[in-house]
Amino acid sequence: MSRAAGVAAVLVLLAACTGSADDAGGAAAVNSTAGPSTAVGATTPRGPGCAMFPAAGPGSPGELAATPVAGAVGTNPQLSTLTAAVLTANLVDVVNSRQDVTVLAPSDAAFDALGADALPALLADVPRLTTVLTHHVIAGRLTADQLPGEHRTLNGDTVTIAGPPDAPTVAAGQTLAGSAPAALVCGDVPTANATVHVIDQVLAPAA
């Protein structure tokens, strides 16, 4: 199956998914009132890779601002692997039901950096996949310049993000690839319940 066909199939499944938040496999709950909150649609995407989002029409920030985060991510072809991973881990309703959260969204290139064998193994190990994905969800709607610091994740552990505020990064030791830091591709992408920051590496949960 081509990547385009795979994305289309995933979008159909996302629309039909009716799982509950209890399917998170024991993932720790994020306090929906913790951290700064930003009004829906108040942020404007910024970063070197924001051309991945069209200025208008389907998949544009204006339309994503009214779409729950799993569906919003699913509209972007460069986030197709993340979309498939969220569906595989049965986390669609889990992330859609959280209010005022921040999602660090690895791009397809980030997953490709894991290597040809690592990605299929990760997708086949649902408990580990759930841990990895929930590690990318932070309490509070954080803008890109609010990212530097230590944050508690939906997985119940922490992620430490370094500055400067206009170019936040996550150290190589906190990424699954292990050899490169995670950098912001496009930040401050608004969705109905979350602010999304696309990053170029997959983060590693705390051991």
Side-chain angles (χ1 to χ4, degrees):
M1 179 183 292
S2 69
R3 172 164 280 181
V7 172
V10 166
L11 290 176
V12 170
L13 288 170
L14 277 174
C17 185
T18 57
S20 71
D22 292 335
D23 294 327
V30 168
N31 182 349
S32 63
T33 62
S37 179
T38 302
V40 172
T43 57
T44 300
R46 55 176 167 164
C50 285
M52 67 188 295
F53 296 99
S60 66
E63 292 205 0
L64 297 183
T67 306
V69 63
V73 166
T75 67
N76 195 293
Q78 294 188 48
L79 299 173
S80 62
T81 304
L82 176 60
T83 301
V86 170
L87 184 63
T88 298
N90 199 22
L91 290 174
V92 174
D93 284 349
V94 172
V95 295
N96 282 348
S97 65
R98 293 321 196 261
Q99 295 302 310
D100 292 331
V101 294
T102 295
V103 175
L104 305 175
S107 64
D108 284 356
F111 282 101
D112 290 344
L114 299 180
D117 297 329
L119 179 56
L122 177 61
L123 293 174
D125 187 344
V126 173
R128 179 172 179 246
L129 178 63
T130 299
T131 297
V132 169
L133 293 176
T134 53
H135 181 67
H136 289 73
V137 181
I138 298 171
R141 281 184 182 261
L142 304 179
T143 59
D145 57 3
Q146 293 171 327
L147 285 177
E150 184 176 279
H151 307 284
R152 187 167 180 80
T153 75
L154 180 58
N155 185 50
D157 56 8
T158 60
V159 60
T160 301
I161 302 174
D166 61 344
T169 60
V170 179
Q174 296 185 74
T175 64
L176 282 185
S179 59
L184 189 73
V185 174
C186 182
D188 293 342
V189 180
T191 74
N193 66 306
T195 298
V196 173
H197 303 280
V198 181
I199 57 176
D200 63 0
Q201 294 289 331
V202 181
L203 304 183

